[in-house]
Amino acid sequence: MSPELIGFLGIIAILILFFLKIPVAISLIIVSLLGTTLIRGWDVAFAQLGRTPFDTSSNYSLSVIPLFILMGMILSYTGIGKDLYRMVDSWVGHLRGGLAMATIGTAAIFSSISGSLNATTATVAKIALPEMEKYNYKKGLSTSSVAAGGTLGILIPPSVILILYGILTREPIGALLISGIIPGILQIIIFIITIYILVRKDSSIAPPREGKASNSEKLSTLKNIWPFIGLFIVSIGGIYLGVFTPTEAAGIGAFGALLFAFISRKLTWQRLKDSLNESVRLTAFIFFILIGANLFGQFLAMSRIPVMLTTYVGNLDLNPYIILVGILVVLLVLGCFIESLALIVITLPILHPIITELGFNGIWFGVIMIMVINIGALTPPLGISVYVIKGVARDIPLQTIFRGVVPMIIAMLVCVAILIIFPQIVTVLPDLMN
């Protein structure tokens, strides 16, 4: 068999293993080992298998991942989720549909802290769903606001997914983190507008709430979340101004979170132990996938598939935007069946060279790609956010949740379209960094 045929068979094998629920890292390693063996022989395959884990894990730039994860876990275990919801609710909760809007804001901030879609969805669901039920919000609106809000963490820094994109494509991590700020804010605004339109269309889904927080009450809620605001400004602002590297910013963020937790006495020894345990588990999970991704990338390079496809696409007599839309449609469909991290790992070695050959900005495409893939968290059959909410609110039918998120999916597609039409929304802050 030719190397190209072996490469295509390897991609098919990867997809089959994913559908069979074989862990992502193990699937990548198995296919890479067998594929490299067929192309270059057992000696080369096992030499790579022995060298790649150390080369990957000892990469200094990867230290940003455990540090940002640790910062998020420590803040999560201090119970900042309730403080965030109380703060956002005091500012917008009195509006019609305000509790759903507050849920979007809370989930956006908390997801950027925790770095985990599942943790954000579960935490915000436990806080927000009972509150919206108390004020007779319809189940579809309340659950959809939780599900949609949980997807925002991929954009708002520090985004672990954007960091992984930078590591896999060698795009600058600092610029990637900064690039997600404006798109994240834009997506929040579009979600809020969507809620406003839904409530205007049918006021019964979100009955008005009596009472409005005073200015003093609004300001008092800010005192409980100042650590997060301060850490965000220092770490992300330091990256933007060039004061810190991403790794240094992550270290400062982790130390600052730990310092706040002890000063506020919100972190017991058991919670500290749990946060460290979760950080180690998540870091090991991500590093294991990165090792498999590097092996898979080496296998694809040997098969010459990325070069072949890049040359083929570059010779097509088509508008680059037509090719881009085709790629995004494929990613959207695959994202409905394959977990986002796995899909990013297997497609990036092929797609990134094609995108850069077409003349598109790699940082801009990273934001677009991740947003499109993340829609799969709301769509059947995968719909992981929906199933997490179902696990928290067992009395709400699954069909109700899936129907409720349809307007939010449309809102996400609208945001992607805006970013395609106006790429400067993504690139303006990275350009200003330079």
Side-chain angles (χ1 to χ4, degrees):
M1 290 188 292
S2 66
E4 291 83 358
L5 178 58
I6 294 173
F8 278 116
L9 292 176
I11 294 173
I12 295 171
I14 281 282
L15 294 175
I16 292 173
L17 291 176
F18 286 169
F19 283 121
L20 293 175
K21 305 299 182 183
I22 306 298
V24 175
I26 294 176
S27 301
L28 291 168
I29 292 172
I30 290 174
V31 171
S32 302
L33 183 64
L34 293 177
T36 303
T37 299
L38 291 173
I39 296 174
R40 299 287 295 274
W42 284 106
D43 52 343
V44 174
F46 278 103
Q48 288 185 337
L49 184 61
R51 183 182 66 248
T52 301
F54 176 79
D55 290 344
T56 302
S57 303
S58 61
N59 187 342
Y60 173 74
S61 63
L62 290 183
S63 56
V64 67
I65 294 176
L67 291 171
F68 271 135
I69 289 174
L70 179 60
M71 181 188 80
M73 289 298 173
I74 291 174
L75 289 175
S76 298
Y77 275 92
T78 60
I80 198 172
K82 292 183 179 179
D83 293 331
L84 285 172
Y85 187 77
R86 197 175 299 114
M87 184 274 294
V88 181
D89 177 45
S90 69
W91 287 84
V92 301
H94 63 281
L95 302 173
R96 187 178 290 274
L99 290 178
M101 298 176 187
T103 301
I104 293 289
T106 303
I109 301 172
F110 189 85
S111 61
S112 69
I113 294 173
S114 70
S116 169
L117 185 148
N118 292 352
T120 297
T121 304
T123 302
V124 176
K126 292 175 184 176
I127 298 170
L129 289 181
E131 191 71 14
M132 285 188 277
E133 183 178 4
K134 184 168 71 174
Y135 289 97
N136 298 317
Y137 274 53
K138 290 293 179 67
K139 305 295 186 184
L141 178 63
S142 59
T143 54
S144 66
S145 60
V146 174
T151 64
L152 292 164
I154 62 164
L155 294 175
I156 302 173
S159 167
V160 174
I161 296 294
L162 282 176
I163 293 172
L164 289 175
Y165 178 90
I167 291 169
L168 292 172
T169 61
R170 302 188 184 277
E171 297 284 355
I173 293 175
L176 278 165
L177 290 175
I178 298 299
S179 70
I181 295 177
I182 297 180
I185 295 173
L186 175 64
Q187 185 67 83
I188 293 172
I189 294 172
I190 293 176
F191 279 150
I192 291 175
I193 292 174
T194 301
I195 293 171
Y196 176 78
I197 293 173
L198 291 173
V199 174
R200 289 279 295 182
K201 186 177 179 181
D202 182 5
S203 59
S204 66
I205 64 174
R209 187 182 72 176
E210 296 182 1
K212 179 180 178 181
S214 64
N215 290 333
S216 60
E217 289 173 334
K218 292 178 181 178
L219 294 175
S220 67
T221 60
L222 294 175
K223 67 181 182 181
N224 295 322
I225 67 161
W226 67 263
F228 168 74
I229 297 174
L231 287 175
F232 183 88
I233 292 174
V234 171
S235 58
I236 304 304
I239 294 174
Y240 177 75
L241 295 174
V243 178
F244 311 130
T245 65
T247 302
E248 292 166 346
I252 291 172
F255 177 76
L258 188 62
L259 188 63
F260 158 73
F262 280 121
I263 292 176
S264 64
R265 298 182 180 180
K266 291 185 176 181
L267 190 67
T268 63
W269 286 109
Q270 183 59 45
R271 287 180 177 177
L272 176 61
K273 180 182 176 182
D274 291 341
S275 63
L276 291 171
N277 184 40
E278 288 294 320
S279 299
V280 170
R281 287 175 180 270
L282 186 54
T283 300
F285 171 76
I286 292 174
F287 271 54
F288 197 18
I289 289 178
L290 282 173
I291 291 169
N294 283 336
L295 286 169
F296 187 67
Q298 294 168 15
F299 158 60
L300 286 181
M302 291 179 189
S303 70
R304 299 197 295 271
I305 284 182
V307 175
M308 183 185 70
L309 289 178
T310 302
T311 303
Y312 174 75
V313 172
N315 292 331
L316 289 176
D317 188 20
L318 289 174
N319 187 298
Y321 281 94
I322 295 177
I323 300 173
L324 172 69
V325 171
I327 290 173
L328 295 179
V329 169
V330 172
L331 289 174
L332 179 62
V333 173
L334 290 176
C336 297
F337 300 93
I338 303 175
E339 193 270 336
S340 59
L341 186 57
L343 186 54
I344 289 169
V345 166
I346 64 171
T347 56
L348 265 184
I350 298 172
L351 294 182
H352 187 261
I354 294 175
I355 289 298
T356 53
E357 176 68 21
L358 291 173
F360 293 114
N361 185 293
I363 293 175
W364 168 80
F365 177 71
V367 173
I368 298 291
M369 175 187 185
I370 289 171
M371 289 182 68
V372 169
I373 291 176
N374 208 41
I375 294 175
L378 304 181
T379 56
L382 190 60
I384 188 168
S385 288
V386 173
Y387 289 107
V388 170
I389 293 173
K390 175 62 178 175
V392 174
R394 298 182 182 276
D395 60 314
I396 302 178
L398 204 58
Q399 308 93 291
T400 301
I401 307 175
F402 273 121
R403 279 199 302 267
V405 299
V406 170
M408 299 303 180
I409 293 172
I410 295 172
M412 295 175 77
L413 291 173
V414 168
C415 187
V416 170
I418 292 173
L419 296 182
I420 292 175
I421 297 170
F422 304 103
Q424 298 85 356
I425 295 175
V426 178
T427 59
V428 59
L429 289 183
D431 289 344
L432 288 174
M433 284 178 65
N434 297 325

